Amino acid sequence: MQVNCAGMSFLKPAVELTPDDCSQVMGMNFESCFHLSQLAYPLLKASQRGCIVNISSIASVVAFCSLPNAVYSAAKGAMNQVTRNLAAEWANDGIRVNCVAPGFIRTPLLSEFVEGNELGRAEFSRVPMGRLGEPEDIASLVAFLSMPASSYITGQVICADGGRCLS
């Protein structure tokens, strides 16, 4: 099993992003996932029951009106699409590829952003469940996607976001 969970962003308007900013965000959020999957492929194929779970973001599914995050969203959207394509390409090799797109999860960085920032509070207010997700919420979903119980699930992007993508 392989989990690709890396991310970074620059929260600045798109017109202020430099080419280097864009390269860093794409490299960390998308290219690392893709290249690590390529490297893991022979081992996963040999197991005949390999599993990759990518971690993207709900920013890949919905636009945030109050958060300038265009390149991050594009990189995570690319991760969603490579999940679908690798799932189709590698299914005959016994490798399943899925993606979890978390919403607002309680981490030190995000808690500070939501609590100390008007824009963060505005976005968080759109979460129907009215709470931050816990790291365990995402870990449990990743664990499920790696278990035999999910053996017929591949190529899916599952939003774990307290209902944020509904609004």
Side-chain angles (χ1 to χ4, degrees), residues 54-104:
N54 295 319
I55 307 296
S56 72
S57 168
I58 61 166
S60 67
V61 180
V62 297
F64 292 105
C65 298
S66 57
L67 297 176
N69 228 355
V71 176
Y72 172 83
S73 298
K76 293 300 188 174
M79 182 182 281
N80 293 354
Q81 194 58 36
V82 82
T83 294
R84 294 177 187 104
N85 281 271
L86 292 180
E89 185 176 333
W90 294 351
N92 286 335
D93 297 322
I95 301 170
R96 294 180 305 108
V97 186
N98 289 293
C99 188
V100 175
F104 294 107

Side-chain angles (χ1 to χ4, degrees), residues 7-165:
M8 66 159 303
S9 184
F10 296 104
L11 289 178
K12 45 183 169 176
V15 298
E16 294 177 14
L17 290 169
T18 67
D20 188 55
D21 291 342
C22 293
S23 293
Q24 285 185 52
V25 172
M26 290 302 290
M28 174 67 74
N29 292 292
F30 170 68
E31 292 174 23
S32 64
C33 155
F34 178 71
H35 294 304
L36 287 170
S37 296
Q38 286 179 307
L39 291 170
Y41 172 80
L43 297 171
L44 296 170
K45 181 180 178 181
S47 76
Q48 279 298 301
R49 55 182 170 78
C51 171
I52 297 173
V53 179
N54 295 319
I55 307 296
S56 72
S57 168
I58 61 166
S60 67
V61 180
V62 297
F64 292 105
C65 298
S66 57
L67 297 176
N69 228 355
V71 176
Y72 172 83
S73 298
K76 293 300 188 174
M79 182 182 281
N80 293 354
Q81 194 58 36
V82 82
T83 294
R84 294 177 187 104
N85 281 271
L86 292 180
E89 185 176 333
W90 294 351
N92 286 335
D93 297 322
I95 301 170
R96 294 180 305 108
V97 186
N98 289 293
C99 188
V100 175
F104 294 107
I105 305 302
R106 186 182 312 280
T107 63
L109 180 63
L110 185 68
S111 294
E112 182 179 306
F113 175 72
V114 170
E115 294 165 6
N117 181 303
E118 188 174 322
L119 297 177
R121 283 192 302 274
E123 285 297 336
F124 176 68
S125 71
R126 298 181 70 188
V127 177
M129 291 186 79
R131 69 172 179 88
L132 289 175
E134 298 297 332
E136 295 81 12
D137 296 326
I138 304 307
S140 297
L141 180 54
V142 171
F144 169 72
L145 290 171
S146 69
M147 297 171 66
S150 68
S151 66
Y152 200 57
I153 301 172
T154 194
Q156 301 304 303
V157 177
I158 302 171
C159 294
D161 63 357
R164 168 58 179 90
C165 288

